[in-house]
Amino acid sequence: MPVAAGRAASPPDGGWGWVVVFGAFVSIGFAYAFAKGITIFFKEIQDFFGTSYSEVAWVSSIMLATTYGAGPISSILVNRYGSRPVVMFGGLLCGIGMVSAAFCTSILQLYICVGFITGLGLALNLQPSVIIIGKYFLKRRPIANGLAMAGSPVMLCTLAPLNQFLFDNFGWRGSFLILGAILLNCCVAGALFRPIGVAKQSVKNQMIEEGKEAPKEEVTKMSMEMRNPAYAPAETKTEEEEEKDCCEKINRYLDFSLFKHRGFLIYLIGNVLMFLGFFAPIVFLAPYAKHIGIDEYSAAFLLSILAIVDMIARPATGVIANSKWVRPRIQYFFSFSIAFNGACHLLCPLASGYTGLVVYSIFFGLAFGMVCAMLFETLMDLVGAARFTSAVGLVTIVECCTILLGPPIGGTIIDTFGDYKYMFIKCGAVMVLAGTFLFIMNYYNYRMLAKEEKERKAKEEDPKIVRTENEGRSNWNKETLQDGPELEPLRDEQEGLKTEVNGTNEV
Amino acid sequence: MPAFSGERFVRLLLLLSLRLPGGSPADLPMTTEDASQTQGNLTQMPTRLNESSTEPMTTTRIVNRQTRESISDHSPVGHGVSTPGPDLTTQDFKQAIEEKASNFTYVEYEILLSGVSGTSKEKNITLDNPAKVELSCRLASKYPHLNIVQVAWKRGNETIKHINKTENSWSIQLTVTDENELGSYSCTLKGEEEFKAVFHLQVPKIEGKEKPIISYDGDSVVMICKSSSYTPIAWTWYLTNGSEQIAINDSLMSDKYVIDRVPANTTHLKILKLTKKDDGAYWCEAVFKLGKSKGKLKLKVLTFMVPLKPFLVILAEVIILVAIVFLYEVYSKKKEKHAEDEKEFEQAEQLKSEESNGVESSSTRHRKV
């Protein structure tokens, strides 16, 4: 189905797409950086409520858990209503959460307002932003992804001094109030997520020209994704609802059939493994530096170096991943960057003194940026832009567990052995393992896809309309057949153009 | 605790070894006063071995501090005490253990004088409990040729009798029991060149907060003062009324102020139902045996209007931007539709003309895609 949509109307790959990238930049930036940036207020809150530091740190953990765990909810809502209303509602929810947090009188209320409500709002920001990039870009998608993901370090670098300034001038209550207003800017970002109009045109034409021959499932599915109330498919949809059975109905909201998808499973297993060792080194970098005798400000500076290198690495990775040498084999590049990240951690214990740690921070920042920039790009590549909506929700809820487990496991290792190097070795080993796993499995996957491509090309000898119909029907039956890497539309698009020039056209 | 008592024991042994035949010539010019003081010291040390659990902590600390400070001042003072004193027999020693003496810790500090003449070196010494303090000035061994004619130890204008510890170091011994004995003690060495060193004996400083604590009308605030390494006997809070400081009595105004003094080296002051009047400077005072020390904290009480203004500004900005985005979208859609309608019109015309010509046009097909 995505192949047909691609041929009928390819994503613009530019124009308004760059504005959408900017909106996604802001949205993703807030989603990732906010939980970290808010830690500046914790000391004061701890003193105010008379709790221990770990009780206050739960606020951040709950926020992060909700942001990842509410992924499926996000996906369902985007499948139903499209990205724009979801992001705007998410921004509103964040604002309400933080404003009500300003009036909290107990730490439990803070857990709910800051942790749960704001976390949910951020989840409704994160997933749709990533999804809409997939809808607006195809040929330049890695660059767009890299640029959008760069929002995270930039926001973190901005939020840290901003939060300090707000705290010095307004105390924690006033700061929460103002941060609520700042989070409302996510609504502005959401407003920029114009539902993509090009595919609508193709649907309209398909309906007019092909009538009932047009795969009904495709039409309803596209109308789900890019719903415009002023639009005809509403009638078609009500007709279809009665015809669908239970499984398909659920799959319409959240595509559980993805769990049969080979590429998706490979990605899921590899990423779950990777996240066990992904965030722990950042959390423990400053304490490790202090442990080996570096003063507090230099230790904090290490994290700034990391953030700055990260900021530059993400768009750069996007550009590299978009080049014609890397794009077809982007999964290998992703596996390489994970393994590179792991290698950095394994070498960290060898770093002696401040200069060693600075070098480590630079390489870590580079590796971290590379992995993050391609995190969603590779999923899109494996699963296709249409099913990406559900895929991202399912992936984030499964990753949620390992993300939250990573730093505490690292902490327990440090406490047990009394030495930081074992934590670095553990993280490095886990990531190298994840990288190797992904590399091998993707090699296998590429081969299988090449095989299936050959089979499909053989079928292409049949009349083209039959093939489109078959594709549409096989939408629900044979997922593996249709969801090849996104290069399919690229190559087929070229073919399509050729055939058009020759006078024949496939619709 | 075994480590601590071991240290004290080593010092005692060293002292005894120095007392054995063949003490340094510098031992001789000693006054009886000093001798009794040293003996007093000896009596202290054995009793330290039987000390309760709280005291050993302070002593070890002081010993460690002493070593640290000495090292930082480039003067390696070993734990071995070379204080001269009368010979002691084992019987005296036993007697000393049995003697009941006060809980005084013993510390010594030394300043190494070197470098340019005329400059004065300073050292800050923090004491929270009564102690016996020995302060000494040592001349760096690279200046043996300088004939130091006059050595003077002073506190203000008052001269203190000193002892010649070694051939190039001079010290005084003080028993600090209350705050009158704290202050600045200086030693001046005059000869071909002049050297000066100053010791400042003081109570531990309490740090307040430089940045004001911000809170709101009707809210409550918690102010915390900590004394990290020294445990004070008591804490008192003061608020500033004009130019005077008024002590806060939390039992009297228990619905306004709550003071929490547990654990002993931290104190919390909770002020409830804040109003504008509560704005100002607050002092937390730690009372030590040797005096008091204050830390300053500032409280600022704001009304909720203060953060509300930036909030409303940002809210307005968000609404305006969203409106702009939507208006632009509607405007560009209208433009698109207008252009499309024109195109459709053109296509329809073209179709009509092509049909009449009987030629299929590929342009229509293009448009469909």
Side-chain angles (χ1 to χ4, degrees):
Chain A
M1 202 231 37
V3 177
R7 250 187 255 115
S10 62
D13 272 309
W16 189 254
W18 296 117
V19 183
V20 170
V21 166
F22 174 71
F25 177 92
V26 170
S27 218
I28 291 173
F30 276 124
Y32 280 122
F34 198 70
K36 190 94 207 302
I38 224 178
T39 52
I40 290 178
F41 301 109
F42 283 176
K43 181 89 191 16
E44 180 78 5
I45 294 174
Q46 178 193 345
D47 289 341
F48 184 82
F49 289 115
T51 59
S52 67
Y53 188 76
S54 60
E55 282 182 356
V56 183
W58 268 104
V59 172
S60 224
S61 306
I62 293 178
M63 186 189 270
L64 213 59
T66 323
T67 309
Y68 277 94
I73 300 177
S74 227
S75 298
I76 295 172
L77 289 173
V78 172
N79 267 330
R80 189 108 168 66
Y81 298 109
S83 285
R84 176 190 263 178
V86 179
V87 176
M88 294 188 74
F89 178 64
L92 203 63
L93 209 57
C94 287
I96 292 172
M98 288 309 286
V99 168
S100 50
F103 298 97
C104 277
T105 51
S106 82
I107 192 92
L108 190 63
Q109 290 176 5
L110 267 185
Y111 288 156
I112 297 173
C113 293
V114 180
F116 191 68
I117 298 181
T118 314
L120 184 63
L122 290 176
L124 295 178
N125 263 303
L126 176 62
Q127 267 87 358
S129 312
V130 180
I131 290 167
I132 201 151
I133 291 177
K135 293 196 185 144
Y136 266 90
F137 286 89
L138 183 59
K139 280 186 273 189
R140 300 224 199 107
R141 201 174 56 202
I143 300 180
N145 261 312
L147 279 172
M149 296 298 277
S152 174
V154 169
M155 271 307 165
L156 188 61
C157 281
T158 330
L159 268 183
L162 178 70
N163 279 356
Q164 189 63 48
F165 168 78
L166 285 176
F167 177 64
D168 289 340
N169 286 297
F170 299 105
W172 68 272
R173 287 198 196 268
S175 304
F176 278 2
L177 189 69
I178 295 175
L179 280 173
I182 292 176
L183 278 177
L184 282 175
N185 279 302
C186 291
C187 291
V188 179
L192 293 169
F193 292 166
R194 227 183 254 182
I196 185 152
V198 190
K200 277 196 320 224
Q201 184 78 353
S202 70
V203 172
K204 193 176 174 183
N205 288 330
Q206 276 186 338
M207 281 188 57
I208 294 168
E209 289 168 18
E210 294 179 25
K212 289 293 177 190
E213 276 181 0
K216 291 175 192 163
E217 295 94 331
E218 286 176 40
V219 171
T220 35
K221 217 179 179 199
M222 274 202 284
S223 69
M224 282 312 118
E225 281 175 7
M226 306 152 236
R227 199 163 141 116
N228 194 336
Y231 200 45
E235 308 158 0
T236 349
K237 186 192 138 224
T238 40
E239 282 176 34
E240 301 311 320
E241 260 179 37
E242 286 130 42
E243 293 173 23
K244 296 234 188 308
D245 70 349
C246 172
C247 266
E248 288 183 354
K249 211 170 185 178
I250 295 177
N251 274 347
R252 198 176 67 201
Y253 289 107
L254 194 64
D255 198 355
F256 282 104
S257 60
L258 275 167
F259 283 110
K260 290 189 220 152
H261 190 280
R262 189 178 53 236
F264 178 75
L265 284 173
I266 294 171
Y267 179 86
L268 190 64
I269 297 172
N271 273 40
V272 160
L273 205 58
M274 173 191 76
F275 274 116
L276 270 177
F278 196 53
F279 287 115
I282 302 181
V283 173
F284 292 111
L285 182 60
Y288 175 60
K290 282 186 223 165
H291 177 79
I292 64 175
I294 298 174
D295 66 278
E296 213 176 292
Y297 290 106
S298 309
F301 187 60
L302 284 174
L303 286 171
S304 312
I305 297 175
L306 210 154
I308 293 172
V309 176
D310 190 10
M311 236 187 271
I312 304 169
R314 293 194 193 199
T317 313
V319 170
I320 295 174
N322 201 45
S323 65
K324 67 173 192 272
W325 302 285
V326 182
R327 185 90 193 266
R329 298 285 172 251
I330 199 172
Q331 304 294 334
Y332 293 146
F333 191 41
F334 186 53
S335 329
F336 162 73
S337 53
I338 296 177
F340 174 52
N341 210 342
C344 278
H345 296 324
L346 286 173
L347 292 175
C348 178
L350 297 174
S352 55
Y354 190 59
T355 7
L357 277 185
V358 168
V359 172
Y360 168 73
S361 298
I362 293 175
F363 278 104
F364 184 22
L366 186 68
F368 192 76
M370 281 169 74
V371 173
C372 281
M374 287 195 287
L375 208 54
F376 292 114
E377 170 60 33
T378 41
L379 184 58
M380 276 188 219
D381 184 64
L382 283 167
V383 154
R387 302 177 81 187
F388 180 70
T389 317
S390 312
V392 75
L394 294 171
V395 154
T396 46
I397 198 175
V398 177
E399 284 171 358
C400 175
C401 313
T402 42
I403 289 173
L404 288 175
L405 282 175
I409 290 181
T412 344
I413 293 179
I414 294 174
D415 289 338
T416 326
F417 291 103
D419 195 353
Y420 281 84
K421 72 170 186 213
Y422 293 107
M423 189 266 309
F424 283 109
I425 291 175
K426 160 240 169 193
C427 294
V430 161
M431 294 194 75
V432 168
L433 185 67
T436 335
F437 171 81
L438 280 172
F439 192 87
I440 296 171
M441 292 310 287
N442 275 307
Y443 173 69
Y444 165 70
N445 192 35
Y446 274 134
R447 278 182 54 182
M448 295 296 287
L449 284 170
K451 227 198 271 176
E452 283 157 13
E453 171 71 9
K454 268 194 207 152
E455 288 167 17
R456 249 194 350 170
K457 282 266 183 312
K459 277 194 191 165
E460 229 173 65
E461 303 314 301
D462 297 342
K464 293 190 174 72
I465 290 182
V466 176
R467 183 163 77 84
T468 350
E469 275 192 319
N470 279 340
E471 269 193 275
R473 274 186 220 122
S474 69
N475 194 16
W476 297 107
N477 300 329
K478 298 173 193 168
E479 296 84 11
T480 47
L481 202 62
Q482 66 163 354
D483 290 296
E486 273 296 307
L487 291 176
E488 289 297 334
L490 277 175
R491 283 186 247 129
D492 292 332
E493 195 184 44
Q494 289 174 359
E495 288 180 25
L497 282 166
K498 279 190 219 155
T499 49
E500 276 179 18
V501 164
N502 292 339
T504 54
N505 198 359
E506 45 182 10
V507 178
Chain B
M1 298 312 113
F4 138 75
S5 47
E7 243 177 33
R8 302 296 303 177
F9 211 68
V10 164
R11 293 184 71 188
L12 180 62
L13 284 174
L14 276 166
L15 205 129
L16 284 173
S17 62
L18 285 164
R19 297 292 73 70
L20 293 172
S24 54
D27 292 353
L28 297 171
M30 247 197 61
T31 63
T32 44
E33 186 195 32
D34 287 345
S36 62
Q37 255 192 1
T38 326
Q39 200 162 31
N41 289 344
L42 288 171
T43 52
Q44 303 325 313
M45 285 189 288
T47 53
R48 300 300 292 153
L49 297 169
N50 304 332
E51 217 57 67
S52 63
S53 53
T54 49
E55 281 299 310
M57 293 295 279
T58 42
T59 320
T60 327
R61 215 177 42 230
I62 286 172
V63 169
N64 288 341
R65 248 187 12 254
Q66 166 201 330
T67 329
R68 237 188 301 135
E69 287 188 54
S70 318
I71 289 168
S72 63
D73 217 39
H74 312 293
S75 59
V77 172
H79 285 285
V81 177
S82 54
T83 319
D87 287 355
L88 273 181
T89 63
T90 38
Q91 244 179 348
D92 287 345
F93 179 70
K94 278 189 194 150
Q95 201 181 16
I97 292 173
E98 285 153 18
E99 267 185 41
K100 204 69 166 104
S102 45
N103 313 342
F104 278 11
T105 56
Y106 178 80
V107 286
E108 47 179 63
Y109 295 93
E110 183 174 279
I111 292 183
L112 183 68
L113 292 165
S114 60
V116 191
S117 106
T119 56
S120 87
K121 282 196 168 174
E122 302 195 6
K123 199 183 190 79
N124 289 326
I125 300 164
T126 319
L127 295 167
D128 64 329
N129 282 321
K132 288 192 174 289
V133 187
E134 178 182 283
L135 306 169
S136 50
C137 285
R138 175 197 291 277
L139 192 61
S141 48
K142 53 181 174 169
Y143 305 107
H145 56 286
L146 294 171
N147 294 322
I148 301 294
V149 173
Q150 199 188 57
V151 177
W153 278 92
K154 280 192 185 172
R155 182 181 171 220
N157 289 325
E158 183 196 319
T159 313
I160 306 166
K161 261 205 171 112
H162 66 273
I163 52 175
N164 200 342
K165 225 164 77 168
T166 64
E167 62 183 46
N168 53 355
S169 77
W170 300 262
S171 62
I172 55 168
Q173 296 188 337
L174 314 157
T175 310
V176 182
T177 45
D178 65 54
E179 53 187 330
N180 296 325
E181 281 136 25
L182 295 170
S184 301
Y185 294 82
S186 64
C187 77
T188 329
L189 296 135
K190 283 190 195 140
E192 284 179 20
E193 293 179 29
E194 188 170 310
F195 297 93
K196 189 171 177 190
V198 187
F199 293 87
H200 299 284
L201 268 65
Q202 14 178 254
V203 279
K205 281 210 171 76
I206 304 290
E207 272 183 28
K209 279 213 180 106
E210 280 171 28
K211 290 190 194 162
I213 302 172
I214 302 192
S215 195
Y216 292 91
D217 245 346
D219 197 9
S220 58
V221 72
V222 176
M223 294 200 274
I224 299 181
C225 262
K226 284 192 185 131
S227 168
S228 41
S229 12
Y230 309 96
T231 312
I233 310 169
W235 288 97
T236 324
W237 283 91
Y238 295 91
L239 61 85
T240 326
N241 190 354
S243 54
E244 11 170 292
Q245 295 181 358
I246 306 171
I248 297 176
N249 191 341
D250 59 325
S251 45
L252 203 62
M253 302 172 76
S254 59
D255 61 339
K256 177 82 176 169
Y257 299 103
V258 178
I259 300 182
D260 187 17
R261 294 184 178 92
V262 174
N265 56 354
T266 326
T267 180
H268 298 240
L269 171 68
K270 187 166 183 178
I271 310 178
L272 308 159
K273 293 180 239 171
L274 286 167
T275 62
K276 255 303 185 177
K277 285 185 278 178
D278 296 315
D279 198 304
Y282 287 78
W283 301 87
C284 66
E285 188 183 68
V287 180
F288 297 98
K289 282 193 195 138
L290 289 177
K292 303 180 184 177
S293 169
K294 279 191 186 159
K296 186 175 179 185
L297 295 124
K298 282 182 271 187
L299 177 68
K300 238 167 119 175
V301 181
L302 305 170
T303 60
F304 237 79
M305 287 297 129
V306 177
L308 201 62
K309 278 186 236 154
F311 174 78
L312 290 172
V313 166
I314 300 176
L315 188 63
E317 167 247 326
V318 167
I319 294 175
I320 291 172
L321 283 176
V322 171
I324 291 176
V325 169
F326 277 127
L327 286 173
Y328 177 71
E329 188 171 327
V330 168
Y331 165 74
S332 57
K333 272 218 179 97
K334 275 199 189 145
K335 243 173 74 173
E336 233 181 75
K337 200 149 178 253
H338 193 65
E340 266 181 32
D341 289 340
E342 277 188 20
K343 244 184 160 182
E344 270 187 38
F345 186 66
E346 281 176 28
Q347 296 293 349
E349 300 256 298
Q350 220 175 7
L351 259 176
K352 279 189 208 156
S353 58
E354 278 170 5
E355 270 176 18
S356 60
N357 292 343
V359 174
E360 264 191 356
S361 163
S362 60
S363 63
T364 331
R365 294 282 169 81
H366 271 293
R367 202 203 129 244
K368 281 179 199 160
V369 176

